[in-house]
């Protein structure tokens, strides 16, 4: 888990967990409402990706809700591409899943 602080108070967080042999799943992304729009989520996401890369993983996957436009915008701006729903999200109408290659110089082909 990565926790972002401002003046010793936690203001944002995110976590990763293994997802198959080559991927980490980004989980529990959150920034306190008063602190949104300051780039905290992007920094937390970048830190999680770097951590996954250091651990030897090739890509990150994640799920968010279709009614979360700010999250969807963050993930697209951060280079994530929409992918088929996976695991527990298969068949969940409100879920949208993303993936991103975190290996240097590689991208995930469009589906």
């Amino acid at each position: 888990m990565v926790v972002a602080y401002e003046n010793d108070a936690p203001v944002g967080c995110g976590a990763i967990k293994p997802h198959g042999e080559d991927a980490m799943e980004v989980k529990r992304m959150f920034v306190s409402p008063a602190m949104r729009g300051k780039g905290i989520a992007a920094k937390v996401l970048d830190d999680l990706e770097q951590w996954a890369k250091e651990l030897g993983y090739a890509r990150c996957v994640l799920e968010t809700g279709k009614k979360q436009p700010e999250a969807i915008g963050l993930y697209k701006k951060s280079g994530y591409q929409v992918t088929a729903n996976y695991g527990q999200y298969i068949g969940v109408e409100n879920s949208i899943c993303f993936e991103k290659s975190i290996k240097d110089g590689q991208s995930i082909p469009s589906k």
Side-chain angles (χ1 to χ4, degrees), residues 3 13 18 25 31 38 41-42 46 53 100-101:
V3 180
C13 64
E25 183 178 20
V31 174
K38 297 182 177 190
D46 184 62
K53 189 175 180 178
K100 178 183 178 181
S101 173

Side-chain angles (χ1 to χ4, degrees), residues 64-77 96 98:
T64 193
K66 289 182 178 178
K67 296 178 182 178
Q68 301 292 327
E70 294 87 357
I72 292 168
L74 168 68
Y75 300 135
K76 287 182 175 182
K77 184 177 179 181
I96 182 169
F98 290 89

Side-chain angles (χ1 to χ4, degrees), residues 8-57:
D8 296 323
V11 296
C13 64
I16 52 176
K17 72 173 195 171
H19 179 79
E21 292 182 16
D22 73 332
M24 276 287 190
E25 183 178 20
V26 175
K27 304 288 289 182
R28 306 293 184 246
M29 289 288 297
F30 177 80
V31 174
S32 62
M35 299 303 291
R36 292 179 184 166
K38 297 182 177 190
I40 295 168
K43 177 63 174 143
V44 168
L45 183 60
D46 184 62
D47 287 353
L48 292 171
E49 291 170 1
Q50 291 304 312
W51 187 14
K53 189 175 180 178
E54 289 169 9
L55 292 171
Y57 289 87

Side-chain angles (χ1 to χ4, degrees), residues 67-109:
K67 296 178 182 178
Q68 301 292 327
E70 294 87 357
I72 292 168
L74 168 68
Y75 300 135
K76 287 182 175 182
K77 184 177 179 181
S78 298
Y80 283 78
Q81 297 179 356
V82 175
T83 189
N85 285 14
Y86 58 85
Q88 67 190 36
Y89 308 111
I90 294 172
V92 177
E93 187 63 31
N94 186 48
S95 287
I96 182 169
C97 293
F98 290 89
E99 68 180 336
K100 178 183 178 181
S101 173
I102 55 172
K103 283 187 133 177
D104 289 327
Q106 293 188 4
S107 62
I108 295 172

